[in-house]
Amino acid sequence: MAVTKAGEPVAARAEEIWKVYGSGEARVVALRGVSAEFGRGRFTAIMGPSGSGKSTLMHCLAGLDTIDKGTVHVGGTEVSRLGDKALTRLRRDRIGFIFQQFNLLPTLSAAENIRLPLDIAGRKANPQWWDTVIATVGLADRLGHRPSQLSGGQQQRVACARALMGRPDVIFADEPTGNLDSRSGAEVLSFLRSSVREHGQTIVMVTHDPVAASYADRVVFLADGSIVDELADPTADTVLDTMKRLDTPDVPAAPVML
């Protein structure tokens, strides 16, 4: 089993990955030899200025985008070497996703949306785990409701429960509170935090919001396609201070011990 430099088991890692879009004058280097490790049972936020490569990094880690050089692992599996069918199985069985858009099927109830990935995989939810997840997200009295009958915060909590129900190796969350008001966003972030603390879930979240990042165990900062800094036990103020520094020119790259 792979471990981080701190001795923790690794849920996901990138090793010297490069991602380039376009060619010639339109060529854009989105990731420049990025290496990062994400310990199991940890909550990591990825931040950076617009165009820094943070969403590209998450998409490459999750197998949603290919890389041009380097390797990506989820657990002990090298994602970057998988064929289409194996990659589909990996994303279905071992990775959870939460996006800014809730991506719920409007004709299904909350319970049916939560069960959908398991149904597609031909698996049944463990009854005890089902009760635990539903209690954690506070949806017991909304399971029969369709998405149109739920608030935005409730819909995102359904999406969170769906991602967690299959007990994936890692959940990737891309701006999960981007469409929510501050109260609903705090509810979703509290759920994500408790899923890590109480259930050992691994979460990697891309966000632009310092308050959202403060719920994480650590924050990794990107600029111009490279990791340039990191914070452990972040607060909204320390994240904001770091982001302000990254928005200024000629920021020196800081050593990152992941």
Side-chain angles (χ1 to χ4, degrees):
M1 178 185 293
V3 296
T4 67
K5 292 177 181 178
E8 301 169 330
V10 173
R13 75 178 186 271
E15 297 177 352
E16 290 291 322
I17 65 172
W18 289 75
K19 180 63 182 179
V20 179
Y21 295 103
S23 60
E25 293 183 358
R27 184 174 184 265
V28 175
V29 181
L31 297 174
R32 302 172 181 270
V34 171
S35 294
E37 294 178 338
F38 301 90
R40 186 162 296 165
R42 301 275 285 172
F43 189 172
T44 304
I46 301 175
M47 300 192 75
S50 178
S52 61
K54 55 186 182 295
S55 289
T56 301
L57 174 58
M58 192 200 76
H59 292 161
C60 290
L61 287 167
L64 297 174
D65 203 350
T66 59
I67 59 175
D68 296 303
K69 187 178 179 181
T71 59
V72 171
H73 289 78
V74 171
T77 300
E78 186 176 343
V79 178
S80 42
R81 295 179 65 88
L82 296 180
D84 289 344
K85 289 184 178 180
L87 189 57
T88 297
R89 287 194 298 269
L90 179 84
R91 290 194 298 251
R92 183 190 67 195
D93 297 338
R94 296 176 55 194
I95 296 175
F97 296 99
I98 305 169
F99 297 103
Q100 185 171 339
Q101 304 297 331
F102 314 131
N103 294 332
L104 304 181
L105 293 184
T107 58
L108 300 183
S109 68
E112 290 167 336
N113 269 289
I114 293 169
R115 285 196 302 263
L116 185 60
L118 293 178
D119 291 342
I120 292 173
R123 298 162 55 195
K124 292 185 177 180
N126 177 285
Q128 290 182 324
W129 184 238
W130 173 273
D131 291 343
T132 297
V133 172
I134 298 306
T136 301
V137 298
L139 287 170
D141 60 345
R142 292 290 187 271
L143 291 178
H145 291 61
R146 292 185 178 181
S148 61
Q149 299 170 307
L150 301 174
S151 69
Q154 290 169 339
Q155 290 185 62
Q156 191 61 302
R157 281 188 278 151
V158 171
C160 290
R162 178 182 59 193
L164 190 62
M165 193 57 66
R167 292 187 169 181
D169 289 0
V170 57
I171 290 176
F172 292 102
D174 194 355
E175 299 282 5
T177 60
N179 281 339
L180 303 178
D181 59 43
S182 58
R183 180 177 178 179
S184 297
E187 290 176 352
V188 168
L189 290 164
S190 294
F191 160 71
L192 295 177
R193 176 71 260 169
S194 65
S195 73
V196 173
R197 181 178 58 249
E198 298 173 15
H199 308 305
Q201 183 60 56
T202 304
I203 295 176
V204 179
M205 175 181 72
V206 167
T207 182
H208 69 281
D209 182 2
V211 174
S214 70
Y215 283 76
D217 297 307
R218 67 174 179 136
V219 184
V220 173
F221 296 90
L222 272 74
D224 296 323
S226 299
I227 293 178
V228 295
D229 211 342
E230 149 171 31
L231 284 175
D233 301 319
T235 67
D237 287 340
T238 58
V239 171
L240 184 59
D241 288 344
T242 304
M243 287 298 296
K244 287 179 179 177
R245 182 168 57 81
L246 294 180
D247 281 332
T248 62
D250 300 322
V251 178
V256 180
M257 302 299 292
L258 298 182

PDB file of all heavy atoms in Angstrom, residues 22 41-42 56 91 112 147 149 151 161 185-186 189 213:
ATOM      1  N   GLY A  22      -4.218  22.247 -27.007  1.00  0.00           N
ATOM      2  CA  GLY A  22      -3.943  22.998 -28.219  1.00  0.00           C
ATOM      3  C   GLY A  22      -2.517  22.820 -28.699  1.00  0.00           C
ATOM      4  O   GLY A  22      -1.728  22.042 -28.155  1.00  0.00           O
ATOM      5  N   GLY A  41      -8.639   9.314   4.175  1.00  0.00           N
ATOM      6  CA  GLY A  41      -9.328   9.845   5.343  1.00  0.00           C
ATOM      7  C   GLY A  41      -8.997  11.299   5.624  1.00  0.00           C
ATOM      8  O   GLY A  41      -9.118  11.760   6.762  1.00  0.00           O
ATOM      9  N   ARG A  42      -8.593  12.033   4.570  1.00  0.00           N
ATOM     10  CA  ARG A  42      -8.241  13.444   4.704  1.00  0.00           C
ATOM     11  C   ARG A  42      -9.092  14.285   3.751  1.00  0.00           C
ATOM     12  O   ARG A  42      -9.567  13.803   2.725  1.00  0.00           O
ATOM     13  CB  ARG A  42      -6.763  13.650   4.383  1.00  0.00           C
ATOM     14  CG  ARG A  42      -5.827  12.859   5.265  1.00  0.00           C
ATOM     15  CD  ARG A  42      -5.508  13.576   6.556  1.00  0.00           C
ATOM     16  NE  ARG A  42      -4.568  14.664   6.313  1.00  0.00           N
ATOM     17  CZ  ARG A  42      -4.228  15.567   7.230  1.00  0.00           C
ATOM     18  NH1 ARG A  42      -4.784  15.537   8.412  1.00  0.00           N
ATOM     19  NH2 ARG A  42      -3.346  16.519   6.945  1.00  0.00           N
ATOM     20  N   THR A  56      -8.307  21.324 -13.766  1.00  0.00           N
ATOM     21  CA  THR A  56      -7.633  20.345 -14.626  1.00  0.00           C
ATOM     22  C   THR A  56      -6.968  19.264 -13.789  1.00  0.00           C
ATOM     23  O   THR A  56      -7.051  18.073 -14.122  1.00  0.00           O
ATOM     24  CB  THR A  56      -6.584  21.044 -15.506  1.00  0.00           C
ATOM     25  OG1 THR A  56      -7.221  22.036 -16.307  1.00  0.00           O
ATOM     26  CG2 THR A  56      -5.868  20.040 -16.396  1.00  0.00           C
ATOM     27  N   ARG A  91     -14.325   4.674 -12.202  1.00  0.00           N
ATOM     28  CA  ARG A  91     -15.105   5.862 -11.833  1.00  0.00           C
ATOM     29  C   ARG A  91     -16.433   5.473 -11.208  1.00  0.00           C
ATOM     30  O   ARG A  91     -16.920   6.144 -10.300  1.00  0.00           O
ATOM     31  CB  ARG A  91     -15.331   6.738 -13.073  1.00  0.00           C
ATOM     32  CG  ARG A  91     -14.073   7.427 -13.578  1.00  0.00           C
ATOM     33  CD  ARG A  91     -14.411   8.529 -14.560  1.00  0.00           C
ATOM     34  NE  ARG A  91     -15.072   8.014 -15.744  1.00  0.00           N
ATOM     35  CZ  ARG A  91     -14.514   7.952 -16.952  1.00  0.00           C
ATOM     36  NH1 ARG A  91     -13.265   8.373 -17.131  1.00  0.00           N
ATOM     37  NH2 ARG A  91     -15.188   7.476 -17.981  1.00  0.00           N
ATOM     38  N   GLU A 112     -34.105   7.474  -4.899  1.00  0.00           N
ATOM     39  CA  GLU A 112     -33.730   6.812  -6.154  1.00  0.00           C
ATOM     40  C   GLU A 112     -32.473   7.445  -6.750  1.00  0.00           C
ATOM     41  O   GLU A 112     -31.634   6.740  -7.320  1.00  0.00           O
ATOM     42  CB  GLU A 112     -34.896   6.889  -7.135  1.00  0.00           C
ATOM     43  CG  GLU A 112     -36.082   6.019  -6.730  1.00  0.00           C
ATOM     44  CD  GLU A 112     -37.342   6.326  -7.515  1.00  0.00           C
ATOM     45  OE1 GLU A 112     -37.476   7.459  -8.030  1.00  0.00           O
ATOM     46  OE2 GLU A 112     -38.218   5.436  -7.612  1.00  0.00           O
ATOM     47  N   PRO A 147     -36.342  16.222  -7.137  1.00  0.00           N
ATOM     48  CA  PRO A 147     -35.473  17.390  -7.040  1.00  0.00           C
ATOM     49  C   PRO A 147     -36.207  18.733  -7.069  1.00  0.00           C
ATOM     50  O   PRO A 147     -35.821  19.673  -6.361  1.00  0.00           O
ATOM     51  CB  PRO A 147     -34.547  17.230  -8.255  1.00  0.00           C
ATOM     52  CG  PRO A 147     -34.452  15.754  -8.428  1.00  0.00           C
ATOM     53  CD  PRO A 147     -35.819  15.234  -8.101  1.00  0.00           C
ATOM     54  N   GLN A 149     -38.837  19.506  -5.786  1.00  0.00           N
ATOM     55  CA  GLN A 149     -39.481  19.750  -4.496  1.00  0.00           C
ATOM     56  C   GLN A 149     -38.466  20.016  -3.380  1.00  0.00           C
ATOM     57  O   GLN A 149     -38.852  20.147  -2.227  1.00  0.00           O
ATOM     58  CB  GLN A 149     -40.345  18.538  -4.129  1.00  0.00           C
ATOM     59  CG  GLN A 149     -41.463  18.248  -5.115  1.00  0.00           C
ATOM     60  CD  GLN A 149     -42.144  16.910  -4.856  1.00  0.00           C
ATOM     61  OE1 GLN A 149     -41.490  15.872  -4.763  1.00  0.00           O
ATOM     62  NE2 GLN A 149     -43.462  16.953  -4.723  1.00  0.00           N
ATOM     63  N   SER A 151     -34.913  22.212  -1.935  1.00  0.00           N
ATOM     64  CA  SER A 151     -34.110  23.425  -2.074  1.00  0.00           C
ATOM     65  C   SER A 151     -32.761  23.070  -2.699  1.00  0.00           C
ATOM     66  O   SER A 151     -32.380  21.894  -2.799  1.00  0.00           O
ATOM     67  CB  SER A 151     -33.889  24.066  -0.702  1.00  0.00           C
ATOM     68  OG  SER A 151     -33.039  23.243   0.091  1.00  0.00           O
ATOM     69  N   ALA A 161     -24.818  12.530  -0.686  1.00  0.00           N
ATOM     70  CA  ALA A 161     -25.171  11.185  -0.229  1.00  0.00           C
ATOM     71  C   ALA A 161     -24.953  10.158  -1.338  1.00  0.00           C
ATOM     72  O   ALA A 161     -24.469   9.047  -1.095  1.00  0.00           O
ATOM     73  CB  ALA A 161     -26.623  11.161   0.248  1.00  0.00           C
ATOM     74  N   GLY A 185     -24.577  26.347   1.787  1.00  0.00           N
ATOM     75  CA  GLY A 185     -23.192  25.943   1.560  1.00  0.00           C
ATOM     76  C   GLY A 185     -22.544  25.429   2.823  1.00  0.00           C
ATOM     77  O   GLY A 185     -21.812  24.428   2.801  1.00  0.00           O
ATOM     78  N   ALA A 186     -22.813  26.091   3.948  1.00  0.00           N
ATOM     79  CA  ALA A 186     -22.246  25.657   5.224  1.00  0.00           C
ATOM     80  C   ALA A 186     -22.774  24.278   5.610  1.00  0.00           C
ATOM     81  O   ALA A 186     -22.040  23.454   6.164  1.00  0.00           O
ATOM     82  CB  ALA A 186     -22.577  26.678   6.315  1.00  0.00           C
ATOM     83  N   LEU A 189     -20.881  21.725   3.440  1.00  0.00           N
ATOM     84  CA  LEU A 189     -19.488  21.616   3.883  1.00  0.00           C
ATOM     85  C   LEU A 189     -19.393  20.896   5.225  1.00  0.00           C
ATOM     86  O   LEU A 189     -18.453  20.120   5.448  1.00  0.00           O
ATOM     87  CB  LEU A 189     -18.857  23.003   3.967  1.00  0.00           C
ATOM     88  CG  LEU A 189     -18.617  23.675   2.611  1.00  0.00           C
ATOM     89  CD1 LEU A 189     -18.378  25.160   2.792  1.00  0.00           C
ATOM     90  CD2 LEU A 189     -17.458  23.025   1.877  1.00  0.00           C
ATOM     91  N   ALA A 213     -12.713  26.452   1.876  1.00  0.00           N
ATOM     92  CA  ALA A 213     -11.412  25.806   2.059  1.00  0.00           C
ATOM     93  C   ALA A 213     -11.067  25.622   3.525  1.00  0.00           C
ATOM     94  O   ALA A 213     -10.334  24.690   3.891  1.00  0.00           O
ATOM     95  CB  ALA A 213     -10.328  26.619   1.366  1.00  0.00           C
TER      96      ALA A 213
END
